[in-house]
Amino acid sequence: MEPERLERLLAATHGADGLARGLPAEAYTSEAFWQLECNTVLSSTWVCAGFAHELSAAGDVIPVTVAGKPVLLVKKADGEIAAFHNVCRHRCLQLVDQPKNVGKLIRCPYHAWAYDLSGALRASPHFGGADLDQPEGFNSQAHGLWPIRTTVWHDWIFVNLDGTAEAFEDYAAPLIERLSGVNFHQVEPIGVLDFGEIATNWKFIMENFIEPYHVQFVHKTTTRQPLGDHYTIIDGRCVGSAVDLSEEEGTSGSLAVSSRYLTLFPNFIVGRYFPDQLGVYLNIPIGPERMLQKRALYTTEGQTLTAEEIDGLKSLWWDVHKEDHEMCERMQIGRHSPVASEGGVLSPVWEDSVRAFQDQIVQAVTAPKAVN
Ligand code: FES
Ligand SMILES: [Fe+2]
């Protein structure tokens, strides 16, 4: 996208009335803006790409998409999790197309080149001729899988495609601090909901999570959290909202409890529901108007739930997410109207967190590296 055009699009953060405006519609619909995000914000930051507990045995692999690029998460022989570009070094075919266990070798289906779980090339059958795997001068060490910088924080796998993000502990410091009361040794996954594809730009899912304004209207049958008990949180890369119920009427596993709705820029979402639940959303942008989403549910106090209790939680969260998805999909449809060209208006009280998230987007896509 041309720098002047981009600048013009993103410059108007506030209207003459003093109210904050949302990002222009193009930031949610245009292929050019999506490509710009792939080359900037989704490459230069720590992007959440998977749940560690879904890679339990050595040889487990999960293909994912990060910044529009095929990426492979791999459980190595030593138990560590690594990420590689999911592309064969021979003809650059997508190497793995579905989650599975590959054993000791990741074998390309096209001409049977094989890589070990650390990404080293171990076989290139007949590449130099019949029964000659390596032509003269072929250095197999130079043809291993391309590694991607990876950090596993508790159950969450983060990747930094361009390798330039600061160390994860510094990058995520505000979120780490806000979750410091959680005893992570006791945090256990109890289930994952897979929502598949959602017809919305990924930023709407983030924005929806960090504003409390919609909760009373959209979730009126699934939650009991009065608006007046909510407030927003703006703390660097961690923006979100919270609710401290003045009257603690809820019970564990309901949505009438004090909660923290926190994000780590750009795509990580964690909800803390007192006294004993966590929920984490895996948000995978795959295009300007499409994304994938999963949600993992966790207990935080080592408590044991019955199968019925777990099913109850899953069905509650399924319904809550579906309520949010409908709003985000309709926000997306709204972006095709000229009415949305200036982004609508944001509440100074309930949606300042949304603007704070958008400011980080603007900053990332207009950084000198992005527009040069
Ligand atoms: S493309 Fe993978 S072996 Fe040929
Ligand atoms: Fe919601």
Side-chain angles (χ1 to χ4, degrees), residues 6-15 17-28 33 203-204 207 331 335 339-348 351-359 361-362:
L6 180 66
E7 231 165 89
R8 211 174 53 246
L9 272 175
L10 299 177
T13 58
H14 288 72
D17 52 11
L19 285 175
R21 298 285 188 262
L23 292 176
E26 216 161 332
Y28 301 87
F33 197 87
K203 297 189 291 299
F204 282 135
E207 294 174 10
M331 290 277 276
R335 267 34 195 195
V339 175
S341 60
E342 288 179 7
V345 290
L346 298 171
S347 161
E351 295 170 309
D352 55 345
S353 47
V354 170
R355 187 64 235 183
F357 168 79
Q358 296 177 344
D359 286 342
I361 293 286
V362 171

Side-chain angles (χ1 to χ4, degrees), residues 179 182 186-191 251-255 257-260 270-280 295-305 309-310 312-314 316-317:
L179 291 178
V182 176
Q186 304 232 72
V187 171
E188 284 295 329
I190 55 169
T251 50
S252 163
S254 80
L255 259 182
V257 295
S258 293
S259 308
R260 298 286 175 278
V270 54
R272 185 178 184 192
Y273 312 91
F274 291 94
D276 55 12
Q277 314 277 332
L278 276 188
V280 169
R295 178 199 177 96
L297 290 71
Y298 304 85
T299 52
T300 65
E301 306 302 317
Q303 72 271 36
T304 310
L305 300 186
E309 286 171 320
I310 292 173
L313 279 173
K314 283 181 165 174
L316 166 72
W317 284 112

Side-chain angles (χ1 to χ4, degrees), residues 34 197-202 284-292:
W34 161 247
E197 194 169 316
I198 312 167
T200 186
N201 183 280
W202 65 282
I284 302 282
I286 53 173
E289 305 196 70
R290 296 183 307 138
M291 63 171 288
L292 304 171

Side-chain angles (χ1 to χ4, degrees), residues 208-209 211 214-215 218-219 281 320 323-324:
N208 173 260
F209 186 79
E211 59 89 346
H214 75 278
V215 173
V218 174
H219 305 302
Y281 302 20
V320 172
E323 289 165 348
D324 284 325

Side-chain angles (χ1 to χ4, degrees), residues 34-109:
W34 161 247
Q35 289 302 332
L36 183 63
E37 285 182 335
C38 288
N39 294 331
T40 56
V41 56
L42 296 174
S43 293
S44 61
T45 59
W46 286 106
V47 172
C48 185
F51 298 123
H53 79 271
E54 294 197 313
L55 295 153
S56 53
D60 281 354
V61 297
I62 300 179
V64 292
T65 301
V66 179
K69 295 164 187 64
V71 168
L72 189 64
L73 306 176
V74 177
K75 183 83 158 183
K76 296 198 299 177
D78 63 7
E80 286 201 356
I81 288 172
F84 301 99
H85 287 275
N86 184 13
V87 169
C88 178
R89 293 297 308 279
H90 174 219
R91 298 283 303 281
C92 309
L93 182 112
Q94 179 205 35
L95 207 45
V96 175
D97 66 351
Q98 57 187 308
K100 59 179 160 182
N101 187 282
V102 295
K104 294 193 165 122
L105 291 173
I106 305 163
R107 197 175 289 280
C108 179

